[in-house]
Amino acid sequence: AIVKPGMYAVIAADTNIYNAFPYLRNPDSTQKVFIAGSLGLNNDKDLVQIADVFRTTIDSVYYSDNWYNPNLPGSGRSLEKINPALNGNDGKNWSSCTFPNGGSPGLKNSIFTNNNIATGEISVSPNPFSPDGDGYEDFAIISYKLKNNVSQVRLKIYDVKGRLIKTILNNQASGPEGQVVFNGNDDENRKLRLGIYIIFLEALNDQNGVVETIKSTLVVGAKL
């Protein structure tokens, strides 16, 4: 079977997948279901790899049950990537599925967050976001695109009074663009208060010594 670009591959241990997600009994043109027998994966942590026919690894993740959202109850709830284009082994890029049935096989992830990159600027999506642990817009993806190909990046968040709240990147080697997931906690792992915050990025080019600085705003909100 061929999984074409834009399709979803669902790999299940047995046909019970159809009882949990009846829509997979009649998959549409974007869905392909594979019954693979026992997957042999542990609940707490394990390694998952995707490889091609030449055994070349396409993607991999060593997942952990610490990545679950503790505010979403119920066993059997699946882990989802916040954005598939970001680092798969970054625990901040994973959280619990928010759908009532606990999973989204063959569908776009329930917690998917887009990342929009603007040249020479910082983009935040979503903005505002509400890191209250309810599974909806709990994370913000901070994306940046720089003028230089290689830089040392510092990315920090300040409150409106100029006080440092969170250091996200500190002299991190970076290419011309990058993305990080922000969970709304400060450096003491406390949730930020509602309000407006300043994102400040400094990018030092080691070859020419030029420092590029970019500022943007981040809004922490809450549902009414």
Side-chain angles (χ1 to χ4, degrees), residues 13-24:
D14 53 48
T15 56
N16 285 327
I17 188 75
Y18 299 123
N19 297 326
F21 306 97
Y23 61 86
L24 292 177

Side-chain angles (χ1 to χ4, degrees), residues 10 18 33 44 48 59 61 70 77 90 101-102 119 123 137 142 149 154 162 172 175-176 182 188 205 208-209 220-221:
V10 180
Y18 299 123
V33 180
D44 55 349
V48 179
D59 200 0
V61 59
R77 192 173 293 274
D90 183 355
N101 56 4
T119 303
S123 296
E137 295 187 344
I142 302 174
N149 290 328
R154 291 191 291 268
Q172 176 71 42
F182 179 47
E188 302 298 326
N205 183 278
N208 56 26
V220 176

